[in-house]
Amino acid sequence: MEPVQGASQKELVALAAKYRESLRHAVYLTRSLDAEGDLTTAQVSTLNMLAEAPLRIGGIARRSGIKVPSATEQVIRLEAAGLVLRRPDPDDARGVLVQLTERGAQELAAANQRRNAILAERLAALSPDDRTVLEAAVPVIDRLNSLIPEMTKPEKK
Amino acid sequence: MEPVQGASQKELVALAAKYRESLRHAVYLTRSLDAEGDLTTAQVSTLNMLAEAPLRIGGIARRSGIKVPSATEQVIRLEAAGLVLRRPDPDDARGVLVQLTERGAQELAAANQRRNAILAERLAALSPDDRTVLEAAVPVIDRLNSLIPEMTKPEKK
DNA sequence: TTCCATAGTTAGGTAGCCTAACTATCACCC
DNA sequence: GGGTGATAGTTAGGCTACCTAACTATGGAA
C-alpha cells in the first residue's frame, strides 16, 4: 500500500507533467514582472550573477546554461548600456573578466526591488498556508535545478 | 512574536526574491529538457493548449500572455510544420480557429513524453520528502500564476 | 618551438517577442 | 439597407536572445 521506498515511475511522470505545466505558466509570471524601459529578464539574470562576483564569459555562459557566443553577445549589450565593464583576466590573457559598473549595480538593485515588490504583492494574496508551502518548496526547486547537466561542470581549476 | 495574521512586507519581499531566483534557474531546467530536432518549448506550450480544444488566435495569445501578432507568427510556424491547421471560425468569419493535426497530436505526445521522462528521472533523485513538498507546491504555484493580470481576462462572450 | 587546447569574437541564421499600420468582418442603428 | 465604430487577424519592421561554424589569440606542454 505504502511504498515507503519512493514513488512509482507513473507517479514521477505525473508529477513531472504537472510541474512542467506550472513552470510553463510561471514563465509568464516572470514576464509579467517586466516593465517598460526596464532591463530584460535575461539581463537581470546575468547582472545578478555578476553582483556576487566578477565572472569570465565562459562562467556566465555555463551558469546561464547558454553557449559562449550568446554570453559574449549579452555582455556586449550590457557593456554598451554601461552596466558592466570588460577587462582582460590578469591570470590568463585569453580570458575576459566581466564586472558590474556602479551604474549596473544601481540599476540591478532598482530592477530587483521593483520586481520583488510586484511579486510580493501577489504573494500577499495567497493564504499563509500557501506561502508556507511555497517557502518550503523553494529549496526543493533549487535542488532539482542543481541536477541540470552542463550547469554542474567544474569551474576550471 | 508570531504574526498569526500573515507575513510582514519584509518577509514577502524576501520570499519573492528567493522564488524569482529559483524560477530563473528553472527556466534553464525547462531548456535542458529540449532536444535536437524536437519542438521548441514555446511550441510545446502552444500545442498543449490546442490539445484541450481548438482555439482562436486571440485565445492563444491571451493564454500565452503574448500579443496577437506573436500568436499569429507562432501559428504560422506550426502550420508550416504541419502540426496545426487554420480554418475560419464558423461563428465569426473574422476569427480563425486553430486545431491540432493528427501529426501535431502525435509529435506533441512524443515531446511531452520525452520531456516528462527526463524530468521524472531527476525527480527520482530527490528525497521522497522533497517530492512531497514539490507535489504540494504545484497547486500553490498555479494559484500564484493565476494572479497574473491580463491572463485572467474573460474569454469573449 | 612547434602544436594542440582553450577563451572569446565574428558571421550568419532562427525563434519569439514587440508596436504600428492595414484589411476584413461584425454589430448596431438611423 | 448603408454607414460607422469595434473587433480579429495579418503584415511590416525591429529587437533580444539563442544557436552553429569558422576564425583569432593566448597558453601550455612535448
Side-chain angles (χ1 to χ4, degrees), chain B residues 30-129:
Chain B
T30 297
R31 187 176 300 153
S32 76
L33 263 27
D34 276 0
E36 295 287 325
D38 203 14
L39 302 169
T40 68
T41 300
Q43 287 174 331
V44 170
S45 178
T46 302
L47 294 177
N48 269 324
M49 287 175 209
L50 297 175
E52 290 166 33
L55 284 174
R56 304 205 352 192
I57 301 286
I60 293 173
R62 193 159 19 73
R63 291 175 197 230
S64 298
I66 61 179
K67 303 297 179 184
V68 167
S70 305
T72 295
E73 195 180 27
Q74 263 292 337
V75 169
I76 286 173
R77 267 194 293 267
L78 291 171
E79 189 180 34
L83 305 178
V84 306
L85 56 85
R86 283 195 282 189
R87 60 188 170 89
D89 184 338
D91 297 340
D92 181 347
R94 291 171 303 176
V96 173
L97 270 181
V98 183
Q99 60 180 281
L100 289 187
T101 59
E102 186 74 23
R103 193 164 144 243
Q106 285 169 6
E107 294 209 12
L108 173 62
N112 276 329
Q113 260 180 350
R114 214 184 44 69
R115 281 168 164 78
N116 288 342
I118 297 172
L119 183 52
E121 203 176 303
R122 295 196 201 153
L123 288 171
L126 291 179
S127 73
D129 280 357

Side-chain angles (χ1 to χ4, degrees), chain A residues 106-121:
Chain A
Q106 284 169 4
E107 294 209 12
L108 173 62
N112 276 330
Q113 260 179 348
R114 214 183 44 69
R115 283 169 162 77
N116 288 341
I118 298 172
L119 183 51
E121 204 175 303

Side-chain angles (χ1 to χ4, degrees), chain A:
Chain A
M1 276 299 142
E2 300 182 316
V4 179
Q5 174 67 332
S8 70
Q9 184 59 21
K10 210 168 184 177
E11 287 166 341
L12 288 174
V13 171
L15 177 55
K18 283 193 295 186
Y19 184 58
R20 280 210 308 128
E21 172 80 1
S22 296
L23 237 39
R24 175 159 75 80
H25 292 304
V27 168
Y28 305 122
L29 180 143
T30 297
R31 186 177 300 154
S32 75
L33 262 30
D34 275 3
E36 295 287 324
D38 202 16
L39 302 168
T40 67
T41 300
Q43 286 176 330
V44 169
S45 179
T46 302
L47 294 176
N48 270 323
M49 287 175 209
L50 298 174
E52 291 167 32
L55 284 175
R56 302 199 5 186
I57 300 286
I60 292 172
R62 192 157 23 68
R63 291 176 198 230
S64 298
I66 61 180
K67 302 297 179 185
V68 167
S70 304
T72 295
E73 195 181 27
Q74 262 292 336
V75 169
I76 287 174
R77 266 195 292 267
L78 290 172
E79 190 180 34
L83 305 178
V84 306
L85 57 83
R86 282 195 283 189
R87 59 188 171 88
D89 185 337
D91 298 340
D92 181 346
R94 291 171 304 177
V96 173
L97 268 181
V98 183
Q99 59 181 281
L100 288 187
T101 60
E102 187 74 23
R103 196 168 141 242
Q106 284 169 4
E107 294 209 12
L108 173 62
N112 276 330
Q113 260 179 348
R114 214 183 44 69
R115 283 169 162 77
N116 288 341
I118 298 172
L119 183 51
E121 204 175 303
R122 297 197 199 150
L123 287 171
L126 291 179
S127 73
D129 280 356
D130 275 1
R131 277 195 300 271
T132 303
V133 168
L134 198 61
E135 185 97 41
V138 165
V140 175
I141 294 172
D142 287 339
R143 274 195 283 283
L144 188 58
N145 288 338
S146 71
L147 297 176
I148 303 173
E150 294 307 310
M151 286 184 62
T152 328
K153 279 186 190 163
E155 189 62 25
K156 64 170 184 180
K157 202 26 141 348

